Amino acid sequence: MGISGENVLMVGVGGQGIILAGRIIGNAALKMGLEVKVSEIHGMAQRGGSVVTHVRFGRKVYSPTIEVGKADVILAFEKLEALRWLHYLRPGGTMIINDQEIYPLPVLIGKGEYPSDILENIQSKVSDTLALDALKIAVEAGNPKAANMVLLGALAAKLGFEQELWHEVIEQTVPPKTVETNIRAFDMGFERIKSPGACI
Amino acid sequence: MPKLLTGNEAVARGAYEAGVHFASAYPGTPSTEILENLAQYEEVDAQWSPNEKVALETALGACIGGARSIVSMKHVGLNVAADPLFTASYTGVNGGLVIVSADDPGMYSSQDEQDNRYYARFAKIPMLEPSDSQEAKDFTIFAFDLSEEYDTPVLLRLTTRISHGRSPVVLGERTERKVKDYSRNIEKYIVLPAHARRLHVEVENRMSRLRALAEKSPLNKVEMGDRELGIITCGAAYQYVKEACPNASILKLGFSYPVPHELIREFAKQVNRLIVVEELEPLLENEIRALGIKVEGKELFTRFGELSTEIVRKGLGMEDETSFKPEDNIPLRPPVLCPGCPHRGVFYQLNKLKAVVTGDIGCYTLGALPPLSSMDTCHCMGASIGTALGLEKARGKEFARKVVAVIGDSTFLHSGITGLMDVVYNKGTITVVILDNGITAMTGHQHHPGTGYTAKNESTSKVDLEEICRAVGVKRVVTVDCYDLERLGTVLKEEMSAEEPSVVIARRPCILWVRERERAFAVGESCIGCGACIGLGCPAISLLGTAAEINAQMCTGCGLCAQVCPTKAIVRL
């Protein structure tokens, strides 16, 4: 893990603030003088569907999307989505998982089953798996909607850019009124990963 | 420092820097943000039009009037605007006219994945295809110059990955331009047959001159590498090619129509194996083959969906192992109507009434999915009403008692009014439900002529839906609150049984558009786990054990579940 170049795949459920988080990572990498590409999905898929944002940065980046098996990090905003996109992770890659379950409609109406052992399943395959309850931490930070910032903080701790730089980018990206809460949530996610025994 | 812009933002910026005066569009993923961004520039007169045809016609008028104009739409929007497009090719322009088509290979948010590069060929206009955001900006600026110099509309073709991909862009200053002089010129702008016959000849001459220009355009780049493999590519596919085979020789076509034949012949001579990598249809491939050049393409790469680095790699036989196999049996996560969505109650009742429902384009197309499962057809913007009338024509008045067209407010104003006129004029008796959530919702809440606000958020006159329906001759027009399930049911039943056309306007603002939330609901102890509330398909409600549960964070307090609960177990917190 370093700042030379990374493929970060962000996965989750439409409405979780993934597009904003992707923009912040992209801008942070840009500030580091790196080339950046971010690829988002808008429209119908956003209506509670499975969504994915690709973030790639490095000295030279061509494709806007990450190949299967080439993601250095998967930042999963939801557990089932972590499992759905797992095959995008490279061997030895890092999985950061928000320990939150959002049941998809087939499960809600009894037409499908939400797997009960997702964390164990992924941990058995990916040794560098970090899980945190971003929603709980965001509530502590002052707003459940800042869960995306908690996860961003967790990712930032792994990426190795200066914390200051992230603060600057967050300040420039989120609405002025929400800067304080968002930075607090970001820092709590950051500390969570930095502290020993980070996995819940 | 460069800025990280999406392709759409970059197109808007390019138009701004090129001194654009006028911009129009109808929202459609993945094109929407082009106009949204243009509307933020004070110097640009930017507007949402009721549909793409009107948007293009307005931009055409503005360009004839001497203004630099840009019009943007999604790929299927250009079908709607095709009529003025073809004639605009004949008449040409005065101020520059750039037409942006944002295609959606892979259909992330579309009903088809048509390849709009065909339109450049069909309408005989030049086409530019950027491969990233910097090019999106640069090509837009070039497009205006090209349009004015060659007296032609220019097609700027984007795809989802370009439109919604962010990459660094160096910003420039705006070059202010005077609106050009206008004078009447009927031989140019009135396509009487006698004029049009001559204009067609000019179009063919123009295409020859444009081909000569494309031959030496810096937008078409040869990157010589290993001569064993030569790849001709364009748009997003270029990036996948560079990633998969960094050492191959590449001919990248940014000015991709008219196709530069000599440049291709020259490139083909220098490589041993020639391959075309293009998304969707084999357009370049076929044209190159027609030149008598040996070339490979679609036998190696799919014509379905978008390409990717791994598809290019596999096509070239460079398959590599991945470490994790995709998991089997993961429950799907289809998009759903949001908690509190005002459309939900309408579909719930239509399902109960066993209606035959012709659908339309919008979030509400999701009413087709279980458990609401209440839609029979969906084709294109505005199709619901005509299709409903057609069903009646085929199956008679008795059947029409079951037929309901559902259409959103923005879609109704886009192209539903003419359908409704047809129902009245041709003595149909079907029912139309206008799902009026007061905004163009699916594309991210854009104003339209029924909202009372312009693209620049200025207040303006507001179309009265009830009055429009009456004006075309519908006598039965009833307005209902979407959250009043019982009345919705009664009204729908009544209007469906009426032997004359009726319109039910189901009104409630989009839940994502209104910021205020009602208090959430919760399930009390009298829940018997019957699952009645689950039938609403609300993502905030689950029934996993013996009783239903409501996710208080997601619940918006619409109260539909409380209305369907037989034991009154659901109460407001």
Side-chain angles (χ1 to χ4, degrees):
Chain A
M1 188 80 51
I3 56 170
S4 58
E6 296 289 340
N7 292 322
V8 181
L9 193 75
M10 306 167 74
V11 302
V13 180
Q16 284 193 298
I18 295 178
I19 287 180
L20 182 74
R23 225 163 82 198
I24 292 172
I25 304 170
N27 277 318
L30 194 66
K31 263 197 193 303
M32 292 296 294
L34 298 168
E35 192 167 299
V36 187
K37 284 195 176 155
V38 181
S39 194
E40 308 161 354
I41 291 301
H42 297 214
M44 183 175 269
Q46 279 178 294
R47 298 285 174 257
S50 166
V51 294
V52 58
T53 290
H54 301 247
V55 184
R56 306 190 67 211
F57 55 88
R59 272 190 298 275
K60 185 71 203 163
V61 178
Y62 288 109
S63 169
T65 50
I66 300 167
E67 277 180 85
V68 171
K70 297 283 169 66
D72 299 295
V73 188
I74 292 182
L75 185 61
F77 285 53
E78 199 274 347
K79 274 199 314 198
L80 183 62
E81 297 311 307
L83 192 61
R84 192 188 311 281
W85 296 94
L86 177 63
H87 59 292
Y88 270 76
L89 196 66
R90 71 166 165 80
T94 301
M95 180 68 100
I96 302 175
I97 305 177
N98 180 14
D99 189 21
Q100 189 188 348
E101 295 179 353
I102 301 176
Y103 293 153
L105 202 63
V107 172
L108 293 176
I109 63 174
K111 296 262 155 75
E113 205 173 318
Y114 195 99
S116 58
D117 58 346
I118 293 178
L119 267 188
E120 294 77 8
N121 182 352
I122 293 177
Q123 273 162 344
S124 73
K125 292 170 179 157
V126 182
S127 60
D128 195 12
T129 298
L130 305 162
L132 66 165
D133 191 336
L135 192 62
K136 197 171 130 206
I137 298 171
V139 171
E140 284 168 32
N143 190 343
K145 281 190 182 153
N148 59 346
M149 294 297 141
V150 174
L151 289 164
L152 193 61
L155 174 75
K158 296 293 282 186
L159 287 184
F161 304 162
E162 292 290 321
Q163 209 167 344
E164 285 296 298
L165 179 120
W166 289 101
H167 287 180
E168 222 174 284
V169 176
I170 292 171
E171 216 175 304
Q172 288 161 2
T173 317
V174 304
K177 273 190 200 162
T178 67
V179 169
E180 207 180 308
T181 314
N182 277 318
I183 288 188
R184 198 178 317 130
F186 173 89
D187 285 347
M188 286 168 82
F190 191 92
E191 295 308 325
R192 182 87 204 182
I193 296 301
K194 283 285 178 197
S195 63
C199 279
I200 51 170
Chain B
M1 198 175 99
K3 282 201 139 187
L4 198 59
L5 300 186
T6 62
N8 284 350
E9 290 167 349
V11 168
R13 180 69 198 189
Y16 168 77
E17 289 178 14
V20 75
H21 303 102
F22 178 79
S24 55
Y26 181 80
T29 312
S31 72
T32 312
E33 301 82 8
I34 297 171
L35 195 279
E36 281 185 321
N37 279 278
L38 278 162
Q40 286 169 24
Y41 295 111
E42 232 173 75
E43 297 91 333
V44 184
D45 187 349
Q47 67 164 52
W48 291 122
S49 297
N51 65 34
E52 294 85 352
K53 180 174 184 285
V54 177
L56 176 51
E57 287 155 352
T58 315
L60 184 60
C63 103
I64 292 170
R68 281 200 158 185
S69 307
I70 188 166
V71 55
S72 47
M73 57 199 73
K74 68 183 294 171
H75 57 332
V76 286
L78 198 50
N79 300 339
V80 178
D83 207 355
L85 169 73
F86 283 71
T87 313
S89 168
Y90 275 34
T91 64
V93 305
N94 182 20
L97 175 61
V98 177
I99 299 164
V100 189
S101 166
D103 295 12
D104 191 14
M107 295 172 275
Y108 288 95
S109 193
S110 303
Q111 67 266 41
D112 80 1
E113 53 180 347
Q114 65 186 50
D115 189 333
N116 273 15
R117 294 181 300 160
Y118 273 117
Y119 270 116
R121 289 154 171 83
F122 202 176
K124 297 176 189 273
I125 56 173
M127 173 170 63
L128 310 178
E129 288 184 83
S131 296
D132 61 22
S133 298
Q134 182 68 55
E135 286 190 352
K137 195 197 89 165
D138 296 343
F139 287 15
T140 304
I141 297 172
F142 173 67
F144 280 103
D145 295 334
L146 184 67
S147 171
E148 286 175 3
E149 205 178 320
Y150 284 78
D151 194 5
T152 176
V154 175
L155 184 66
L156 183 72
R157 193 250 190 176
L158 312 174
T159 54
T160 294
R161 290 296 169 194
I162 305 301
S163 283
H164 289 158
R166 290 178 189 277
S167 57
V169 178
V170 178
L171 304 190
E173 294 299 316
R174 174 174 169 95
T175 309
E176 280 301 341
R177 280 166 196 282
K178 271 181 54 187
V179 171
K180 286 186 167 182
D181 291 339
Y182 170 77
S183 60
R184 177 186 281 179
N185 184 350
I186 66 164
E187 290 183 2
K188 178 166 161 61
Y189 294 122
I190 295 187
V191 283
L192 282 167
H195 298 166
R197 282 180 205 119
R198 196 180 36 71
L199 289 172
H200 184 192
V201 177
E202 276 178 36
V203 166
E204 297 301 335
N205 289 337
R206 178 181 78 202
M207 291 317 276
S208 304
R209 288 188 293 126
L210 281 163
R211 192 183 305 281
L213 185 71
E215 298 283 4
K216 49 186 199 308
S217 170
L219 274 59
N220 294 331
K221 281 192 304 199
V222 176
E223 299 171 4
M224 277 327 275
D226 183 356
R227 286 166 197 263
E228 195 49 48
L229 176 62
I231 297 176
I232 300 176
T233 185
C234 58
Y238 166 77
Q239 308 290 2
Y240 307 134
V241 167
K242 286 296 279 186
E243 193 93 22
C245 16
N247 299 324
S249 292
I250 295 172
L251 170 55
K252 175 189 185 300
L253 297 178
F255 190 156
S256 60
Y257 195 78
V259 178
H261 292 166
E262 290 314 310
L263 187 62
I264 287 170
R265 269 191 236 278
E266 226 17 71
F267 181 72
K269 266 188 229 159
Q270 295 179 58
V271 296
N272 284 337
R273 184 184 180 197
L274 186 67
I275 294 178
V276 174
V277 182
E278 57 191 324
E279 278 182 325
L280 300 174
E281 300 302 313
L283 288 181
L284 287 171
E285 182 189 339
N286 289 348
E287 189 156 343
I288 293 168
R289 193 164 287 134
L291 293 173
I293 298 169
K294 189 165 172 265
V295 63
E296 299 162 74
K298 286 297 162 192
E299 63 266 54
L300 304 175
F301 313 105
T302 176
R303 74 164 77 197
F304 300 110
E306 50 176 1
L307 295 181
S308 65
T309 308
E310 62 255 33
I311 291 173
V312 173
R313 232 191 269 281
K314 275 182 195 157
L316 295 171
M318 300 155 70
E319 213 153 335
D320 45 13
E321 293 273 305
T322 59
S323 57
F324 305 104
K325 293 224 156 49
E327 296 277 330
D328 301 323
N329 301 322
I330 297 183
L332 293 174
R333 192 186 296 277
V336 285
L337 294 176
C338 303
C341 175
H343 305 327
R344 177 168 285 109
V346 174
F347 288 116
Y348 179 81
Q349 292 296 25
L350 287 172
N351 186 8
K352 277 181 66 175
L353 290 164
K354 298 194 169 57
V356 173
V357 179
T358 55
D360 225 300
I361 306 286
C363 296
Y364 49 92
T365 317
L366 295 171
L369 302 180
L372 294 167
S373 308
S374 43
M375 198 174 286
D376 293 67
T377 67
C378 172
H379 288 82
C380 62
M381 292 288 288
S384 58
I385 303 179
T387 312
L389 177 62
L391 278 172
E392 174 172 1
K393 296 291 174 187
R395 310 195 67 82
K397 286 222 182 316
E398 200 50 44
F399 188 78
R401 301 286 62 76
K402 289 265 170 219
V403 178
V404 178
V406 294
I407 184 166
D409 46 330
S410 191
T411 310
F412 179 70
L413 295 173
H414 177 284
S415 48
I417 301 170
T418 40
L420 188 60
M421 218 180 285
D422 191 28
V423 172
V424 177
Y425 175 54
N426 286 307
K427 304 181 177 181
T429 64
I430 53 105
T431 301
V432 175
V433 177
I434 302 178
L435 299 159
D436 180 15
N437 62 4
I439 203 79
T440 315
M442 190 167 76
T443 43
H445 304 108
Q446 289 75 32
H447 286 296
H448 61 63
T451 69
Y453 290 89
T454 68
K456 291 195 171 245
N457 256 325
E458 291 158 2
S459 76
T460 181
S461 73
K462 180 176 169 175
V463 170
D464 185 324
L465 292 179
E466 283 85 346
E467 283 304 309
I468 282 217
C469 297
R470 288 193 192 101
V472 301
V474 180
K475 296 202 175 60
R476 304 178 68 104
V477 181
V478 194
T479 305
V480 204
D481 175 3
C482 297
Y483 285 175
D484 188 345
L485 261 190
E486 197 185 328
R487 175 132 198 277
L488 252 181
T490 317
V491 166
L492 284 171
K493 206 171 166 183
E494 242 173 65
E495 297 313 315
M496 285 164 69
S497 61
E499 282 208 21
E500 59 175 307
S502 43
V503 174
V504 177
I505 298 175
R507 183 167 286 147
R508 261 279 166 178
C510 169
I511 191 71
L512 298 180
W513 185 236
V514 287
R515 297 268 165 215
E516 309 81 52
R517 290 280 178 277
E518 300 287 332
R519 288 201 319 281
F521 280 80
V523 183
E525 284 185 357
S526 56
C527 173
I528 51 168
C530 68
C533 53
I534 293 300
L536 288 163
C538 174
I541 312 175
S542 58
L543 178 60
L544 300 170
T546 50
E549 257 183 80
I550 294 177
N551 181 330
Q553 288 248 316
M554 291 170 82
C555 177
T556 64
C558 77
L560 290 194
C561 52
Q563 294 176 52
V564 301
C565 178
T567 63
K568 301 284 167 236
I570 301 176
V571 289
R572 208 183 278 278
L573 281 172

